[in-house]
Amino acid sequence: MSGARFLLLSLLLSLLLSGTVPPFALAGDSRASRAVRPIESAAPEAAATSANRAPLLHPVKRAVIVAGVNRILEAWNSGELEGRLDGSFYDRSRLVESVERIVPRDAIIRLLAVEGFETTEQKLLPGGAGDDSVGVKSTVSVTVRTQIEFDDPAAGFQRIEGVNELVLQVTERVPWEEIGNAGNEPTLPAGERDGGEEPAAPTAPERSSPMWEIRGENRFSGSQYGVGGDESSAAYRDDGGQVYDEVHLDVSRRSSPYRVLRLETHAALNSSDYRSRWNGFVPERIRLSGENGEGAIPYRFEAGDLYTEFTPRTLRRSLKGASIELQRRGGGGAKHSLLLLGGSNGRTWRKLRFADDLFSGMSYVLDTKRRGAWSFNVARNSWDASAPGAVNGEDGSQTVTSVTGAGRIAVGAHAIDVDAEAALIGGDRAPSFGGGDGAFFATVRGSGGLPFRYSLRIEEYGGAYAPRGGNVTAGRSSQSLRMNRPWRRAVTTARFEHFRDRAGSSNPIDDYVTGLSMTFRPDRFRWRKGIFSLGGYLQDRSDRTGTVDNRTVNIRAGGSGKVTARTRMGADLFVQNRDDRITDTGVTVTQIDLNAVRRTTIASFTGAVSPAIRFRWTDGDSLSGFDIRPAVRIDLSRGRHALGVRLDYLRLGGDDRTAGSVETFDAGGEYTYRSPAGDLRTSFTRIRRTPEEGSATTSYRVLTVWTLPFRFVR
């Protein structure tokens, strides 16, 4: 994108959102770029800024984070990933379609370890308060070690490890005594408890004396791994004893309702090949933060591990460094925020060299009630030739600048929400697909006054637009239109999408996607609280020279509902046809999933039995087979005791064009004892893999984890 085009798009964006294009007027909720996280201030005009802000960050517990990570991995393994991705996830639909089209049919992701994590942002949910607890929405950054496993028809069993950072949104109910400090219940407006029409979230308790709180947990883990048979096909790469101890410590001091200092650390003493690449003392996360709203200009500072987000097109990643944010509330309810930061892109504190991959930048946000939300962002990155992903393998630097705007245009009863950004990059970039050093992004959403809702999304990234701090694809051009039509008990969704990769080159690749789906809850059906869905899409992918030309058709239908008061059942049908028109080959995959959940009581233990089975037929010119995967899980609990048993069998069928059939039997069980003083959990896992050709492999793991929480308040 040329500089002239960048300026023209910026001007059009400014005209649209400033209200100078009659007869529209901006009003209501606006949000673009990063959101302004209000700092509690003693200034009278800022009293409303704490309406949706927790008085003090309530760290999300490790058990909740691990459960969230496991749900995401289970969704990936079961083909239900789309339901776990936030609506703002970059290239959400393309990721799901690529998983369905490219990932091997038996591939699973196994969680090896959860490393450091931290709660980066938190809000109390308006309207979510009760007598004993309150709804809290948290953003959590967590580092996980994972392993992808699958059988390659030619190369056999494959095991690929990796370290990833996940950003989770966690919504939970938290007891009042855990919000704020010292078990003091925050004050709650009468409208919230008394059923008022305009509920607000809690505010911090008034307190004159300093308030200290120390909380956290110590977690000891000891495990024994073993492998029998062909070690190259084992689920676990290392055997023998594996031990580590980790500590999560959170220290906070509130000297007034508007002044808070907090230190959060996460470290491990490690002697496990699965827990970390380092042995001995491993500092994983450390962050010192504070807020001060007593002065004329409230400020917030952070030092250590930062999760930084200007925009997805400029800077969005974890850094190790420092930042300071200054806020001020202007006339008419306008909010000003200036954020300055600097930090290194190092993954660990061990052997960290700040100058190898250094980021710095500033982000200014103006959020108004009548004129929308605006931001101006500048992010600079300099790197050493040894840094991962160094452009051309050499030392270099680049600067990304962007302007964003968001607002609501009211046209009678119809509301149009606009969110847009224009960006420009300078400095060293990756080789381009024909030039272009700018980016443009816009979404237009409409609702109200029409029988349907719609969303239009436009993205244009020049071939040289490759910011090392962002998460966009250079040379990408896309346009997407989605329309939702709500009915009495149903919603119909249509989508029309065009993606162009290598835009600007002489041979771009184009994807055209057309999809239609419906979700409905029928009035008359013997299954209570049933929900059903039917949908599909057609994708055509080709380039100009004829080296790429294929078509994919996906159809999915399913539903679930209660068949009795204690039993819920579900079924899902998935059919995919892939046709390569250049080689005149194709493959059709048909998959049927059946599952149920039956609440039960066994010897005074209550819980659920969850059986499931998957049938999968593959019929193609280069791949064919029948797969079956029955599984059952039993979860029971009584008082402080909890039991879990799981059995999972997978048979991958093959023919003379593949490496033959493979059988995998995965069995395990666990027992947990919970008490106010801590939790003790022990589990056993055994995985046996038997290929038609070659020797069988048995892997096992025995694991014991002792968790001791602690909390001190003064």
Side-chain angles (χ1 to χ4, degrees):
M1 181 184 293
S2 65
R5 188 180 179 191
F6 172 81
L7 293 175
L8 176 60
L9 290 172
S10 301
L11 177 60
L12 291 175
L13 175 64
S14 175
L15 289 174
L16 175 63
L17 294 179
S18 64
T20 58
V21 181
F24 306 126
L26 290 170
D29 192 9
S30 302
R31 185 67 61 204
S33 183
R34 63 181 178 90
V36 178
R37 294 191 291 141
I39 300 172
E40 295 178 28
S41 173
E45 66 273 12
T49 65
S50 61
N52 66 342
R53 180 82 173 133
L56 183 64
L57 208 62
H58 163 81
V60 179
K61 296 180 179 179
R62 186 185 191 280
V64 176
I65 296 173
V66 173
V69 171
N70 281 323
R71 289 193 188 102
I72 292 174
L73 300 188
E74 289 170 4
W76 195 95
N77 294 337
S78 62
E80 301 174 353
L81 181 61
E82 187 172 12
R84 292 292 177 182
L85 299 179
D86 185 71
S88 62
F89 192 93
Y90 176 68
D91 260 2
R92 180 171 179 255
S93 61
R94 294 202 79 187
L95 171 62
V96 174
E97 290 159 6
S98 296
V99 169
E100 293 176 344
R101 180 165 45 91
I102 299 174
V103 173
R105 68 187 193 274
D106 64 316
I108 65 168
I109 299 182
R110 188 183 304 277
L111 179 63
L112 298 180
V114 173
E115 297 186 352
F117 57 86
E118 60 181 317
T119 306
T120 62
E121 184 179 357
Q122 200 161 62
K123 292 181 180 179
L124 300 180
L125 298 177
D131 291 336
D132 302 319
S133 61
V134 63
V136 177
K137 183 177 182 179
S138 309
T139 301
V140 178
S141 169
V142 54
T143 303
V144 298
R145 298 177 66 86
T146 58
Q147 176 174 286
I148 296 180
E149 303 170 11
F150 62 94
D151 276 276
D152 185 89
F157 182 76
Q158 301 294 302
R159 182 181 59 216
I160 304 172
E161 293 187 22
V163 178
N164 303 280
E165 180 182 15
L166 304 178
V167 179
L168 311 180
Q169 287 188 346
V170 180
T171 301
E172 58 180 336
R173 298 202 65 82
V174 179
W176 277 116
E177 60 267 19
E178 295 188 23
I179 300 294
N181 280 302
N184 289 295
E185 180 178 322
T187 59
L188 186 66
E192 179 76 1
R193 287 195 189 269
D194 300 337
E197 295 183 356
E198 297 183 357
T203 57
E206 294 289 338
R207 187 178 175 95
S208 57
S209 59
M211 191 185 312
W212 283 92
E213 180 178 19
I214 301 175
R215 73 166 92 188
E217 67 177 25
N218 183 85
R219 185 172 182 271
F220 172 81
S221 172
S223 56
Q224 178 71 30
Y225 292 79
V227 175
D230 184 4
E231 294 186 0
S232 64
S233 299
Y236 304 115
R237 56 175 166 79
D238 295 302
D239 57 7
Q242 310 285 337
V243 179
Y244 67 85
D245 186 87
E246 65 180 22
V247 177
H248 184 205
L249 179 65
D250 194 324
V251 182
S252 60
R253 181 180 187 271
R254 182 184 288 276
S255 56
S256 80
Y258 312 105
R259 192 168 184 173
V260 178
L261 185 66
R262 179 170 179 254
L263 174 66
E264 184 179 11
T265 63
H266 197 121
L269 287 174
N270 184 55
S271 182
S272 170
D273 296 322
Y274 295 98
R275 179 61 177 78
S276 172
R277 58 180 291 206
W278 309 102
N279 283 329
F281 178 69
V282 183
E284 293 181 327
R285 299 280 180 116
I286 180 169
R287 182 175 64 168
L288 176 67
S289 61
E291 293 184 5
N292 189 341
E294 295 181 339
I297 301 180
Y299 65 86
R300 174 188 296 117
F301 72 87
E302 295 181 347
D305 284 282
L306 318 173
Y307 179 72
T308 304
E309 180 174 4
F310 288 177
T311 74
R313 282 150 288 280
T314 54
L315 183 58
R316 177 194 264 180
R317 63 175 54 231
S318 291
L319 300 174
K320 299 186 185 302
S323 69
I324 185 168
E325 180 183 3
L326 309 176
Q327 292 187 8
R328 187 174 180 85
R329 196 172 182 87
K335 292 179 286 187
H336 302 261
S337 169
L338 176 64
L339 175 64
L340 306 172
L341 65 85
S344 173
N345 188 34
R347 186 177 291 273
T348 66
W349 287 101
R350 293 276 291 261
K351 297 184 179 180
L352 176 66
R353 296 172 56 186
F354 274 84
D356 282 358
D357 199 357
L358 190 61
F359 283 85
S360 60
M362 62 82 65
S363 174
Y364 169 70
V365 176
L366 170 62
D367 195 344
T368 70
K369 289 185 176 181
R370 295 183 54 82
R371 297 293 180 181
W374 302 83
S375 79
F376 177 71
N377 310 280
V378 179
R380 177 174 174 79
N381 174 220
S382 60
W383 62 85
D384 184 82
S386 61
V391 176
N392 300 324
E394 301 175 352
D395 295 356
S397 64
Q398 62 178 214
T399 302
V400 185
T401 305
S402 84
V403 58
T404 76
R408 172 167 291 182
I409 302 171
V411 185
H414 186 60
I416 303 175
D417 292 299
V418 181
D419 190 343
E421 179 178 13
L424 196 64
I425 190 172
D428 298 300
R429 284 96 76 193
S432 77
F433 296 111
D437 52 7
F440 180 74
F441 162 85
T443 60
V444 179
R445 301 181 181 91
S447 61
L450 296 173
F452 60 88
R453 298 187 295 267
Y454 61 88
S455 173
L456 174 65
R457 182 184 180 103
I458 300 173
E459 295 182 84
E460 299 282 345
Y461 303 111
Y465 190 82
R468 298 187 74 247
N471 59 351
V472 297
T473 303
R476 166 71 57 81
S477 172
S478 66
Q479 303 83 39
S480 173
L481 173 63
R482 292 175 178 260
M483 304 177 69
N484 295 325
R485 173 65 162 93
W487 308 88
R488 182 172 177 269
R489 287 184 173 271
V491 176
T492 303
T493 302
R495 63 182 175 117
F496 309 92
E497 298 173 317
H498 170 237
F499 304 98
R500 171 168 289 182
D501 291 304
R502 304 194 310 220
S505 72
S506 59
N507 188 31
I509 299 177
D510 289 289
D511 283 272
Y512 293 90
V513 181
T514 303
L516 182 66
S517 64
M518 173 179 283
T519 302
F520 55 96
R521 299 176 182 271
D523 285 317
R524 297 179 180 179
F525 195 73
R526 67 183 304 270
W527 286 14
R528 289 169 287 182
K529 297 182 180 179
I531 181 170
F532 301 87
S533 62
L534 173 66
Y537 69 84
L538 169 67
Q539 178 180 18
D540 267 299
R541 181 177 176 86
S542 62
D543 63 5
R544 293 178 181 174
T545 63
T547 57
V548 176
D549 188 4
N550 56 65
R551 170 178 290 185
T552 301
V553 179
N554 269 32
I555 299 175
R556 187 183 292 273
S560 65
K562 282 189 174 182
V563 295
T564 69
R566 300 168 65 90
T567 305
R568 187 176 186 89
M569 296 185 65
D572 185 79
L573 169 66
F574 171 73
V575 180
Q576 180 183 84
N577 176 263
R578 301 193 298 269
D579 182 21
D580 190 323
R581 289 175 287 207
I582 295 178
T583 61
D584 195 23
T585 59
V587 61
T588 299
V589 177
T590 304
Q591 180 174 297
I592 297 177
D593 287 279
L594 305 173
N595 61 79
V597 177
R598 168 74 176 179
R599 289 188 295 161
T600 186
T601 299
I602 302 176
S604 74
F605 280 79
T606 60
V609 179
S610 306
I613 189 168
R614 168 175 292 179
F615 305 94
R616 185 179 180 112
W617 295 266
T618 304
D619 184 16
D621 296 291
S622 60
L623 183 64
S624 180
F626 170 70
D627 310 334
I628 183 170
R629 187 170 195 168
V632 63
R633 181 175 181 88
I634 303 174
D635 294 286
L636 302 171
S637 63
R638 184 187 68 184
R640 297 179 177 181
H641 307 274
L643 300 171
V645 178
R646 59 177 175 79
L647 302 172
D648 190 335
Y649 171 80
L650 170 63
R651 184 185 187 278
L652 296 176
D655 57 18
D656 55 1
R657 292 166 292 182
T658 68
S661 63
V662 178
E663 294 183 351
T664 303
F665 185 71
D666 187 343
E670 65 178 47
Y671 166 76
T672 303
Y673 177 79
R674 299 186 177 94
S675 72
D679 297 345
L680 179 65
R681 180 172 68 91
T682 183
S683 65
F684 174 77
T685 299
R686 181 182 184 271
I687 304 170
R688 182 171 177 81
R689 179 179 178 274
T690 308
E692 183 177 335
E693 300 178 3
S695 60
T697 302
T698 301
S699 308
Y700 74 86
R701 183 190 69 176
V702 180
L703 171 69
T704 299
V705 178
W706 186 20
T707 303
L708 294 174
F710 53 86
R711 188 178 184 216
F712 171 77
V713 177
R714 186 178 70 85

